[in-house]
């Protein structure tokens, strides 16, 4: 008689795991996505600050060119270098923003899948 109770207890425990595991997997996936989102948000913040610094530098150099009417090769090279650095920084920030949006969409998809 005790064996029957033990078998039913084990069977009941294992069937309850079947209902808990999908929720646990969803929670774990959400935690991973949240961590990815946190890392990307931090990187995006730094990338946007960096892009702004490059843009300010570019604008300063361009202002020097305009104010002194200097059109020499060194200053033109500096502007071209600043513009290239600014564009690369902006492209990096845009890439991070796209990754951030993809993660946010995937979180919404998980929630919509499990809610409905």
């Amino acid at each position: 008689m005790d064996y029957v109770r033990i078998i039913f207890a084990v069977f009941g425990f294992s069937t309850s795991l079947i209902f808990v595991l999908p929720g646990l997997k969803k929670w774990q996936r959400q935690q991973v996505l949240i961590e990815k989102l946190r890392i990307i948000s931090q990187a995006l913040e730094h990338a946007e600050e960096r892009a702004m610094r490059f843009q300010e530098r570019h604008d300063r150099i361009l202002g020097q060119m305009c104010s002194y009417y200097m059109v020499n090769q060194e200053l033109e090279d500096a502007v071209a270098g600043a513009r290239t650095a600014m564009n690369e920084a902006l492209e990096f920030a845009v890439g991070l923003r796209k990754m951030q949006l993809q993660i946010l969409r995937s979180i919404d998809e998980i929630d919509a899948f499990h809610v409905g």
Side-chain angles (χ1 to χ4, degrees), residues 81-100:
R83 178 173 287 136
T84 300
M86 177 184 70
N87 288 340
E88 288 174 1
L90 288 171
E91 287 175 17
F92 182 71
V94 166
L96 286 173
R97 179 71 67 193
K98 287 179 182 178
M99 288 173 61
Q100 184 183 42

Side-chain angles (χ1 to χ4, degrees), residues 3-42:
Y3 293 118
V4 173
R5 286 185 192 159
I6 291 172
I7 290 172
F8 281 125
V10 169
F11 180 72
F13 177 73
S14 56
T15 56
S16 67
L17 282 178
I18 291 172
F19 296 111
V20 171
L21 287 179
L24 185 60
K25 284 183 180 182
K26 176 190 170 201
W27 178 83
Q28 185 180 19
R29 179 165 163 73
Q30 284 178 337
Q31 295 306 308
V32 168
L33 290 175
I34 288 169
E35 181 62 16
K36 284 181 182 180
L37 186 60
R38 184 189 67 76
I39 291 168
I40 289 173
S41 295
Q42 286 179 347

